[in-house]
Amino acid sequence: MSLVLHNRPHPKADFPIFDPAGPNAGLTYLDSGASAQKPTQVIEAVSRFYATGYANIHRGVYKLSATATDAYEGVRAQVATFLNAASEQEIIFVRGATEGLNLIAHSWGQTHLQAGDAVLITALEHHANIVPWQILRDQKGIELRVAALAEDGGVDRADFTAKLADGKVKLATFTHIANATGAVLPVAELTAEAKAAGALVAIDGCQAVAHRPVDVQALGCDFYVFSAHKLYGPTGIGILYGRLAVLETMQPYQTGGDMVATVRFDKTEFLDPPQRFEAGTPDIAGVIGLGAAIDYVGSLGWPWIEAHEKALLAYGEAVLAKVPGLTLLPAGPHRSGIFSFTVDGVHPHDLGTILDHHNVAIRAGSHCAQPLLNEFGLTATVRASLGLYNEPEDFDRLAEAVRAAQRMFTPKRA
Amino acid sequence: MSLVLHNRPHPKADFPIFDPAGPNAGLTYLDSGASAQKPTQVIEAVSRFYATGYANIHRGVYKLSATATDAYEGVRAQVATFLNAASEQEIIFVRGATEGLNLIAHSWGQTHLQAGDAVLITALEHHANIVPWQILRDQKGIELRVAALAEDGGVDRADFTAKLADGKVKLATFTHIANATGAVLPVAELTAEAKAAGALVAIDGCQAVAHRPVDVQALGCDFYVFSAHKLYGPTGIGILYGRLAVLETMQPYQTGGDMVATVRFDKTEFLDPPQRFEAGTPDIAGVIGLGAAIDYVGSLGWPWIEAHEKALLAYGEAVLAKVPGLTLLPAGPHRSGIFSFTVDGVHPHDLGTILDHHNVAIRAGSHCAQPLLNEFGLTATVRASLGLYNEPEDFDRLAEAVRAAQRMFTPKRA
Amino acid sequence: MSEALYSDKILALAARKVARLPKPDVTAVRNNPLCGDRVTLDLAIAEGIVTAAGGEARGCALCCAGLAVLLDDLPGQTLESLPAQIETARRSIAMGVSGLAVVLSVLQERPIPRPRQKCVLLPLEALQEALSSLSTNTHE
Amino acid sequence: MSEALYSDKILALAARKVARLPKPDVTAVRNNPLCGDRVTLDLAIAEGIVTAAGGEARGCALCCAGLAVLLDDLPGQTLESLPAQIETARRSIAMGVSGLAVVLSVLQERPIPRPRQKCVLLPLEALQEALSSLSTNTHE
Ligand SMILES: Cc1ncc(COP(=O)(O)O)c(C=O)c1O
Ligand SMILES: Cc1ncc(COP(=O)(O)O)c(C=O)c1O
């Protein structure tokens, strides 16, 4: 299998965590679904900003502050291009996907939902796209509907359709790629269906943005959220895309400096989006780092990233299929970047620890998706998730370590 | 004046932004009240973490994740010590002071306040400690009381007392140091008075933590907030201290992963504080950087920092007093770290731009404290604020640039 | 250490005394909430042409100079031509290059740094508001 | 690449068959919500002394081994002595050093990595819950 990237070395060399002379030599990192490692380009963009260009933004009349503001706002434009948003006013900087979803629930949900309305999610959601809607349900008396899991591990399309039928659903919100299984949802079709039924649509793009190009206008969604740390960017920063016409109808989220026009003790006026939703000093360096991450991904290009992942997935599937007693959770018609599995006779947490002893980093547990695992009759799995630095050999090491665990837990014959 | 720090060079050398061979050579930075510059120790702690120790926290069974979790939780303990909190459970990581105050307003205010109750602030607050309470006022029908500004630029103590008298105030929330003037409030006394009147107390410590030791137990407050970026730390991270007994009565803020015990579609159970208030992937690298910033400040020590600032303030006051036409806003009985002033015949924004031409970075505007400036009959001032890297000469450069601006705006005699 | 932005020409414009019109056909007021600056603009209009312009500014030098230039330039202009001119000026200012087009031609010499662009734009925003309140009134 | 944590002793303990008590005086159930593990602990008690202990675990090897050790150690202990023993065990585990004191003495050999400490603690938490529900019942 060829994973050659023309004109440059394999990108793994860009990631200092894998430095063969460093403290993590030999690391097989298969936990990019939880968080991706960072290329030098991102790490240095952040430290360069602090070392040579740091200032608070938006309020300073001096050069350093103006330049920092330009850089910060430049990333907003860059993200708009990355998602093909119609305007950079549609890009709101948040801490991460969790805050993005909470912002929608608060600033849109509190004003636009009332008792009797429904919000539709799917059985494949991360807790971040479940709990905020439960809170709203309990506060406002709305209904929370859950489109069922299909046999094949995808969304049950008929159930999704049925749950839209009575027109009560005001918002359909679903994941682009299920973080616990790797199932790719048919988000364009689901969006079209929900919009036709009169609902707004929010998409949780956490597991998607690092793996495939996203075009919010082509998707036709009203909201799209993701976290920078899963896109090879810094922690502490993420994006809420919102269609401008919708953002304009929304109340502020957090309040304070930087999002107000005038403040008097009796009355305060708010700025327009996106500033309305960015109270206080933002994670300026995080934004700069996100810009560098998008540049980095762009320097590899989607064709390479997608081909690389396709090859890795095929190889991984073949390798894992050969491990006896390993059961892969189904991921619907399309899988992306994630293998979630159980191994007969070895508890996922024991497996995780033993894999770690083999220098293979995977995640064991419920992956913040307890309801989905419960659908499969499980409370935990082991999950291997991919980044652009992974190589086919990583699956060989994974499989070998799994076999070692199996040997340990096989009752010894005297 | 001696600003010698025994056994080490002046700390300015620790801050690469001032590198005489760098792009900002000759910079006079007097905007630390907006945000402080970062020492190499902080910048490198963040990049070292990304380069050699990065992983998502709390859920990983592998070493890298366990070590990152230990580092993250270690900073929680470090912050508890920094503020002398009774336990690290009382330390919540937030984006910054703005989010900390919003969290109090939401998670404490929404459940503990009802129509007829009052919240007491002062006339010296930053917008971040005004607007969240206005929102609550408008939503819940509580009263927002404002303790008046005293003649001398401090809090009108009699008015503060009077506004507590009827026992309706359930929360008194005030700044430790006013960001627009540098006035140090008598927070221990105000706290004692408010607690005696049956109110909880929140203190906005944004402008204080970099300038003096804070002991939340000695203060007796229930909440204390600050932003790391004003303490020589990264952007995107800040602290909400909350007394455990109070935190335990509070509802979650943002919801999603990492703050739940069990999630079912019908019902969800939340973790205890502090996890209950930290939904989603936090700014892990930001927390690491905050730890490095606290270490850095500790390496200089409060005696040096306070003596250094005292000397700078005295020098600055003397220098500015000699500029004709310069009017300093009063800062009550005690000033810390900030000079806010106007200059006859020169608009603050013009002054800011001209100072920038002289490589002097200050802030011009309302400093996110419009109501306070209005009390002084102003809409904008120029503000010079200090960090531990400032030197007496910085005031000489400031004064010289102010004079240059005055000359420009003096009508030329033919 | 260039103070070029504050050329003698700009400073003279900023210092120029301007006055309100006694009987304007339309008046608009714009605030910059961030610094408290405020521009008032009065227009007298006859047959789709600005016949006189007046106003006052409480603001910085850039804002006052901007108003002074506007008051010089407006008389004689057709209402029809103004929106396009405003747009051109706005764009040139944002681009940070000079070329403030017709309306603010005197300011052309120096790029306006981004944090100060709002100052120069305030008089233009007042003009835009005057135009839109005119057209609202016309439609009523 | 040490798999020392999973010593033969631990693996044998984890594989040991354990059983519920037919008529316990007190039963406690604890879940680890993060992985879905669950420990049930039954105690029979006479005159302040544990006379028999049983239970079952749905969990990882560390959790199962922890329960097995506990079931070995509990019979004969006075109720009075248990809270202090639990506290000692909890602290030793948290310190990452070994020395799991009396209650989990067999696990002493290896430090438990932090992410897995919760697994070993689950049986102890069940014991604690059993004790506290006992004392609540006594007071009623
Ligand atoms: C007194 C005070 N409170 C609150 C804030 C808001 O802090 P942040 O913007 O970091 O959330 C600031 C900073 O501007 C401040 O000086
Ligand atoms: C599908 C999905 N949604 C939401 C989240 C939450 O993202 P964050 O923790 O960065 O806020 C994650 C990450 O765990 C995810 O995978």
Side-chain angles (χ1 to χ4, degrees):
Chain A
M1 163 184 0
S2 157
L3 293 177
V4 173
L5 186 63
H6 295 297
N7 304 323
R8 51 172 299 172
H10 189 281
K12 189 164 183 175
D14 295 329
F15 291 78
I17 198 101
F18 300 117
D19 182 355
N24 305 292
L27 172 67
T28 297
Y29 189 75
L30 287 167
D31 198 21
S32 300
S35 200
Q37 295 296 340
K38 321 302 174 200
T40 303
Q41 289 83 339
V42 167
I43 301 172
E44 287 188 351
V46 171
S47 41
R48 197 177 330 112
F49 174 63
Y50 280 135
T52 66
Y54 182 73
N56 209 333
I57 56 169
H58 284 157
R59 291 285 174 280
V61 290
Y62 52 92
K63 280 184 294 289
L64 209 52
S65 173
T67 310
T69 304
D70 285 347
Y72 178 88
E73 292 298 331
V75 175
R76 201 190 298 280
Q78 197 184 349
V79 173
T81 306
F82 181 71
L83 294 178
N84 193 33
S87 135
E88 62 203 66
Q89 263 193 284
E90 302 185 316
I91 304 302
I92 298 163
F93 291 118
V94 291
R95 177 176 26 245
T98 300
E99 178 164 69
L101 292 164
N102 276 271
L103 199 162
I104 301 170
H106 181 274
S107 296
W108 182 84
Q110 288 286 358
T111 31
H112 289 81
L113 290 175
Q114 44 205 33
D117 291 341
V119 166
L120 176 59
I121 62 175
T122 81
L124 294 95
E125 304 307 317
H126 185 279
H127 293 166
N129 202 19
I130 300 173
V131 191
W133 312 113
Q134 291 182 320
I135 302 270
L136 261 189
R137 176 192 61 192
D138 298 345
Q139 277 175 359
K140 312 214 32 146
I142 61 163
E143 193 190 337
L144 181 55
R145 296 183 183 173
V146 184
L149 183 71
E151 286 279 324
D152 70 352
V155 182
D156 183 330
R157 293 293 299 272
D159 193 50
F160 187 87
T161 307
K163 285 190 165 129
L164 285 169
D166 64 6
K168 287 191 177 166
V169 173
K170 294 289 176 294
L171 176 74
T173 173
F174 39 79
T175 192
H176 196 151
I177 295 176
N179 74 302
T181 64
V184 182
L185 272 63
V187 284
E189 296 169 35
L190 297 180
T191 300
E193 215 183 308
K195 300 284 297 184
L200 293 194
V201 170
I203 300 178
D204 174 356
C206 259
Q207 296 295 336
V209 287
H211 297 270
R212 47 186 55 205
V214 169
D215 180 334
V216 290
Q217 293 188 80
L219 287 174
C221 58
D222 300 282
F223 299 106
Y224 196 96
V225 302
F226 71 87
S227 300
H229 69 92
K230 304 196 195 228
L231 184 64
Y232 314 102
T235 55
I237 195 75
I239 294 297
L240 165 61
Y241 156 83
R243 209 153 49 74
L244 188 56
V246 178
L247 291 181
E248 278 169 344
T249 69
M250 286 163 51
Q251 292 305 302
Y253 182 52
Q254 297 180 347
T255 59
D258 254 14
M259 50 76 71
V260 289
T262 47
V263 176
R264 294 201 325 250
F265 286 126
D266 56 338
K267 192 169 169 359
T268 285
E269 279 166 26
F270 302 110
L271 293 173
D272 288 335
Q275 277 74 30
R276 186 187 300 166
F277 304 106
E278 294 180 9
T281 304
D283 185 1
I284 310 169
V287 168
I288 302 301
L290 169 58
I294 293 176
D295 278 342
Y296 179 76
V297 166
S299 77
L300 299 175
W302 288 119
W304 184 83
I305 292 174
E306 292 188 283
H308 175 68
E309 169 161 334
K310 201 169 156 207
L312 278 179
L313 281 176
Y315 190 84
E317 208 142 354
V319 168
L320 294 179
K322 281 190 223 121
V323 180
L326 184 153
T327 310
L328 201 56
L329 288 201
H334 301 285
R335 175 188 301 280
S336 172
I338 288 166
F339 293 104
S340 201
F341 57 89
T342 56
V343 172
D344 290 349
V346 189
H347 187 284
H349 273 161
D350 292 324
L351 188 51
T353 299
I354 295 163
L355 294 180
D356 182 42
H357 291 156
H358 288 255
N359 227 341
V360 176
I362 51 78
R363 193 134 293 226
S366 64
H367 317 299
C368 292
Q370 292 174 10
L372 178 55
L373 290 204
N374 294 347
E375 292 288 318
F376 288 110
L378 297 170
T379 54
T381 69
V382 156
R383 182 184 77 177
S385 54
L386 303 176
L388 49 79
Y389 29 66
N390 285 114
E391 303 165 302
E393 296 73 23
D394 293 336
F395 284 106
D396 299 332
R397 293 189 201 105
L398 170 64
E400 193 183 308
V402 170
R403 285 173 203 272
Q406 287 176 313
R407 281 192 301 273
M408 283 178 59
F409 280 91
T410 306
K412 310 252 182 328
R413 282 151 236 267
Chain B
M1 165 185 0
S2 159
L3 293 176
V4 172
L5 186 64
H6 296 296
N7 305 322
R8 52 172 298 173
H10 189 282
K12 188 163 184 174
D14 295 329
F15 292 78
I17 198 101
F18 300 117
D19 182 355
N24 305 293
L27 172 66
T28 297
Y29 189 75
L30 288 166
D31 198 22
S32 299
S35 201
Q37 295 296 339
K38 321 303 175 200
T40 305
Q41 288 84 338
V42 167
I43 301 173
E44 286 187 353
V46 171
S47 42
R48 195 177 331 113
F49 174 62
Y50 281 136
T52 66
Y54 183 73
N56 209 332
I57 56 168
H58 286 156
R59 291 285 174 281
V61 290
Y62 52 91
K63 280 183 294 289
L64 209 51
S65 173
T67 310
T69 304
D70 285 347
Y72 178 88
E73 293 298 334
V75 175
R76 201 190 298 278
Q78 197 184 349
V79 173
T81 305
F82 181 71
L83 294 179
N84 193 33
S87 136
E88 61 204 65
Q89 262 192 285
E90 303 185 316
I91 303 301
I92 298 163
F93 291 118
V94 291
R95 178 175 24 245
T98 300
E99 178 163 70
L101 292 164
N102 277 269
L103 198 162
I104 301 170
H106 180 275
S107 296
W108 182 84
Q110 289 286 358
T111 32
H112 290 80
L113 290 176
Q114 44 206 33
D117 290 340
V119 167
L120 175 59
I121 62 174
T122 80
L124 293 96
E125 303 308 316
H126 186 279
H127 293 165
N129 203 19
I130 300 173
V131 190
W133 312 113
Q134 292 182 320
I135 303 271
L136 261 189
R137 175 192 62 193
D138 297 347
Q139 277 174 1
K140 311 215 33 147
I142 61 163
E143 192 189 337
L144 181 56
R145 296 184 183 172
V146 184
L149 183 71
E151 285 280 322
D152 69 353
V155 182
D156 184 328
R157 292 293 298 274
D159 193 51
F160 186 86
T161 306
K163 284 186 167 133
L164 285 169
D166 64 5
K168 288 191 177 167
V169 173
K170 294 290 177 291
L171 176 75
T173 174
F174 40 80
T175 192
H176 196 151
I177 295 176
N179 75 304
T181 64
V184 182
L185 272 62
V187 284
E189 296 169 33
L190 298 179
T191 300
E193 215 183 310
K195 300 284 295 185
L200 293 194
V201 169
I203 300 178
D204 173 356
C206 259
Q207 296 295 336
V209 286
H211 297 269
R212 47 184 57 205
V214 170
D215 180 334
V216 289
Q217 293 189 79
L219 286 175
C221 58
D222 300 283
F223 299 107
Y224 196 96
V225 302
F226 71 86
S227 299
H229 70 92
K230 305 198 194 225
L231 185 64
Y232 314 102
T235 56
I237 194 74
I239 294 298
L240 166 60
Y241 156 82
R243 209 153 50 75
L244 188 57
V246 178
L247 291 181
E248 279 169 344
T249 69
M250 286 164 51
Q251 293 305 304
Y253 182 52
Q254 297 180 348
T255 59
D258 254 14
M259 50 75 72
V260 289
T262 49
V263 176
R264 296 202 322 251
F265 286 126
D266 57 338
K267 191 168 167 4
T268 285
E269 278 165 27
F270 303 109
L271 293 173
D272 288 334
Q275 278 73 32
R276 186 187 301 166
F277 305 106
E278 293 180 10
T281 304
D283 185 0
I284 311 168
V287 168
I288 303 300
L290 169 58
I294 292 176
D295 277 343
Y296 179 76
V297 166
S299 77
L300 298 175
W302 288 121
W304 184 83
I305 293 174
E306 292 188 283
H308 176 69
E309 169 161 334
K310 202 170 155 206
L312 278 178
L313 281 176
Y315 190 85
E317 207 143 353
V319 167
L320 294 180
K322 282 190 221 118
V323 180
L326 184 153
T327 309
L328 201 57
L329 289 201
H334 301 286
R335 174 188 301 281
S336 172
I338 289 166
F339 294 104
S340 201
F341 56 89
T342 56
V343 171
D344 291 350
V346 189
H347 187 284
H349 272 162
D350 292 323
L351 188 52
T353 299
I354 295 163
L355 294 180
D356 182 42
H357 291 157
H358 289 255
N359 226 341
V360 175
I362 52 78
R363 194 133 294 225
S366 65
H367 318 299
C368 292
Q370 292 175 10
L372 177 56
L373 290 203
N374 294 349
E375 292 286 319
F376 288 111
L378 297 170
T379 55
T381 70
V382 158
R383 181 186 76 178
S385 53
L386 302 177
L388 49 80
Y389 28 67
N390 285 114
E391 303 164 303
E393 296 73 23
D394 292 336
F395 283 106
D396 299 331
R397 294 189 200 104
L398 170 64
E400 192 184 308
V402 170
R403 285 172 202 272
Q406 287 176 313
R407 282 192 300 273
M408 283 177 60
F409 280 90
T410 305
K412 310 253 183 324
R413 282 152 235 265
Chain C
M1 213 187 274
S2 129
E3 281 151 30
L5 183 58
Y6 295 92
S7 63
D8 287 349
K9 225 188 270 173
I10 298 261
L11 290 173
L13 273 169
R16 165 138 18 124
K17 292 262 171 301
V18 294
R20 303 281 310 265
L21 293 188
K23 290 187 115 200
D25 293 307
V26 60
T27 294
V29 183
R30 281 295 290 198
N31 290 295
N32 180 350
L34 303 181
C35 54
D37 285 1
R38 167 190 305 233
V39 166
T40 308
L41 181 72
D42 299 323
L43 299 181
I45 291 150
E47 296 176 21
I49 290 180
V50 179
T51 55
E56 65 187 14
R58 179 185 73 191
C60 64
L62 297 184
C63 174
C64 294
L67 178 64
V69 174
L70 203 60
L71 296 187
D72 275 357
D73 274 11
L74 280 172
Q77 306 261 11
T78 65
L79 291 183
E80 225 179 21
S81 72
L82 288 176
Q85 292 191 55
I86 293 173
E87 209 27 55
T88 312
R90 198 188 281 284
R91 256 203 301 275
S92 334
I93 294 173
M95 275 161 47
V97 294
S98 28
L100 300 203
V102 220
V103 188
L104 291 177
S105 53
V106 172
L107 293 173
Q108 277 188 6
E109 301 147 28
R110 325 280 176 204
I112 315 275
R114 191 208 255 252
R116 304 300 308 282
Q117 291 173 1
K118 183 88 183 163
C119 309
V120 190
L121 286 172
L122 205 60
L124 283 178
E125 287 177 2
L127 175 58
Q128 195 159 39
E129 194 151 301
L131 294 177
S132 81
S133 76
L134 263 183
S135 70
T136 316
N137 289 342
T138 315
H139 287 296
E140 265 165 26
Chain D
M1 212 188 273
S2 128
E3 280 151 30
L5 183 57
Y6 295 92
S7 64
D8 286 349
K9 225 188 270 173
I10 299 262
L11 290 173
L13 274 170
R16 168 140 15 126
K17 291 263 172 300
V18 295
R20 302 282 310 264
L21 293 188
K23 289 186 116 201
D25 293 307
V26 60
T27 294
V29 183
R30 281 296 291 198
N31 290 295
N32 180 350
L34 303 180
C35 54
D37 285 0
R38 166 189 307 232
V39 167
T40 308
L41 180 72
D42 299 324
L43 300 181
I45 291 152
E47 295 175 21
I49 291 180
V50 179
T51 55
E56 65 187 13
R58 179 185 76 192
C60 62
L62 298 185
C63 175
C64 294
L67 178 64
V69 173
L70 203 59
L71 297 186
D72 276 357
D73 275 10
L74 279 173
Q77 306 262 11
T78 65
L79 292 183
E80 224 179 21
S81 72
L82 288 176
Q85 293 193 53
I86 294 174
E87 210 25 56
T88 311
R90 197 189 282 284
R91 256 203 301 273
S92 334
I93 294 172
M95 275 162 46
V97 294
S98 29
L100 299 201
V102 220
V103 188
L104 291 178
S105 52
V106 172
L107 293 172
Q108 276 188 7
E109 300 147 28
R110 327 280 176 203
I112 315 277
R114 190 206 254 255
R116 302 302 306 283
Q117 292 174 1
K118 182 89 182 165
C119 310
V120 190
L121 286 173
L122 205 60
L124 282 179
E125 287 177 2
L127 175 58
Q128 194 158 40
E129 195 151 301
L131 294 177
S132 80
S133 76
L134 262 185
S135 69
T136 317
N137 288 342
T138 313
H139 287 297
E140 264 164 25

